Amino acid sequence: MTDTPTPKPGKVLVPAEDLRTFGAALLEKGGLSPEHARTTAEVFVWAAQRGVDSHGTARIPAYLELLAKGVANADPDIRLESSTPAAAVLDADRAPGPVALTAAAEEAVRLARTTGIATVGVRHTVHTGAIGYYVSKIAEQGLVGIGFVAGMPNMGYTGVKGAAVATSPLAIAVPTPPSSDHAPLLLDMATATIALGKIRQAKASGTPLPEGAAATADGTPTTDPELAVMPLPLGGVKGSGMSLAFELLTSVLVGAPIFAAFHSDDPQGRKHRQNALLIAIDPAALGNDAAGFGAAVDATLSTLKGLPAADDAAGVFYPGERSAALAVERADKGVPVAPKVWRELTESAEKLGVTPPEAG
């Protein structure tokens, strides 16, 4: 094994901490406070370390544009409203998603320590980032984390012509004991068969899309990346139903509907926004002591890992296992950044007077 990973041709390799500092500096120049800039950069680099490029540092130029246009609020008046001991709603005032949801995760943990289970809704934010990050922060505290997000309709719905619902994600994080060899379980999935970013990548490379993954503007399935404009729901009616349910569990539940407004005649209904819901569960509230619950989780994952692998399988893996291993490797050896993303980052740095880190 070599001392450093070999990035794909054309990619540059940047130390994770340098990339985090660089991202924060750019976002601060873009208008965020130092604290909010660090928080936002942390979420992006967390995703990049795990190989989730669509939610990684590639998002920084897009966020700078959101801030410049006023779509994202650089100086939000974030308010936390609560009427019961176990629930709260955070009004983000169009704060960047990483800022709003990090605060919501911290509040969910604080409440769950007392009540056993807590729910924090987030309304009026913009692009939440990798939702797996926030439930992982909950799991780091020994609690189970669950999260849903609803956003602007950009995906087909079974039986509907054109874009109808959002590619709304679900994430679940279950902690493992500190002594375990297993990383926490982290399920982080969208309700779409394929990400919008994958459609753009296929268009750039001229690669055909998988059957049933994408559709034209009128909802006709296509494998031609030049004609594809939106993803199709995962599992057909299953993904459709999940997306609609997440709209009800987030947007409607926190008093900030998106779906109905988007499909109305009100132009404001098309204004970009997202909502979220985070849930923290203390295993002790369900009769589990920390040691017993951790041991049972560990045994469950060990049992899965011990099952016979299929002949064509590289191994048996649980959700989040491989991304956690990749994160450890990239924390030590650097994070690969695509040439186009690095060019955008360095161009932004030149405009904003920020010195980029050295890249390999």
Side-chain angles (χ1 to χ4, degrees), residues 223-236:
T223 60
D224 186 343
E226 291 297 330
L227 300 177
V229 299
M230 64 179 176
L232 289 170
L234 179 68

Side-chain angles (χ1 to χ4, degrees), residues 46-47 49-52 183-184 186 318-330:
W46 180 92
Q49 284 184 236
R50 282 156 181 77
V52 188
L186 175 59
Y318 60 88
E321 179 182 2
R322 284 178 285 189
S323 63
L326 184 61
V328 172
E329 177 185 344
R330 290 184 171 182

Side-chain angles (χ1 to χ4, degrees), residues 29-269:
K29 287 287 189 178
L32 294 182
S33 69
E35 179 185 1
H36 287 179
R38 284 193 300 271
T39 297
T40 304
E42 166 64 27
V43 175
F44 292 153
V45 176
W46 180 92
Q49 284 184 236
R50 282 156 181 77
V52 188
D53 294 336
S54 60
H55 288 67
T57 48
R59 287 287 176 178
I60 292 176
Y63 267 62
L64 291 173
E65 186 175 349
L66 290 175
L67 289 164
K69 292 181 176 179
V71 176
N73 189 352
D75 186 25
D77 179 17
I78 298 175
R79 298 184 181 184
L80 194 64
E81 305 166 4
S82 180
S83 57
T84 70
V89 174
L90 186 148
D91 192 305
D93 189 28
R94 295 181 294 106
V99 173
L101 269 77
T102 296
E106 292 172 352
E107 180 66 8
V109 169
R110 188 186 73 80
L111 294 175
R113 292 292 189 203
T114 301
T115 61
I117 181 170
T119 301
V120 178
V122 178
R123 64 178 172 232
H124 303 146
T125 186
V126 293
H127 190 263
T128 50
I131 189 174
Y133 174 86
Y134 315 109
V135 295
S136 292
K137 298 304 287 186
I138 293 172
E140 285 178 7
Q141 301 302 312
L143 308 180
V144 174
I146 304 173
F148 310 96
V149 170
M152 306 302 289
N154 58 359
M155 180 178 78
Y157 185 96
T158 303
V160 174
K161 182 180 291 186
V165 292
T167 56
S168 303
L170 157 71
I172 301 172
V174 180
T176 50
S179 59
S180 174
D181 292 331
H182 297 127
L185 179 141
L186 175 59
L187 173 69
D188 187 348
M189 56 172 282
T191 50
T193 300
I194 192 172
L196 277 168
K198 294 292 185 182
I199 295 176
R200 288 192 289 267
Q201 289 174 0
K203 186 175 295 187
S205 63
T207 306
L209 293 161
E211 291 280 352
T216 61
D218 67 358
T220 303
T222 182
T223 60
D224 186 343
E226 291 297 330
L227 300 177
V229 299
M230 64 179 176
L232 289 170
L234 179 68
V237 294
K238 296 178 181 179
S240 295
M242 289 174 68
S243 178
L244 186 61
F246 295 167
E247 165 70 6
L248 296 173
L249 287 173
T250 58
S251 305
V252 174
L253 198 59
V254 301
I258 294 176
F259 176 81
F262 180 90
H263 292 291
S264 73
D265 295 329
D266 184 0
Q268 288 300 309

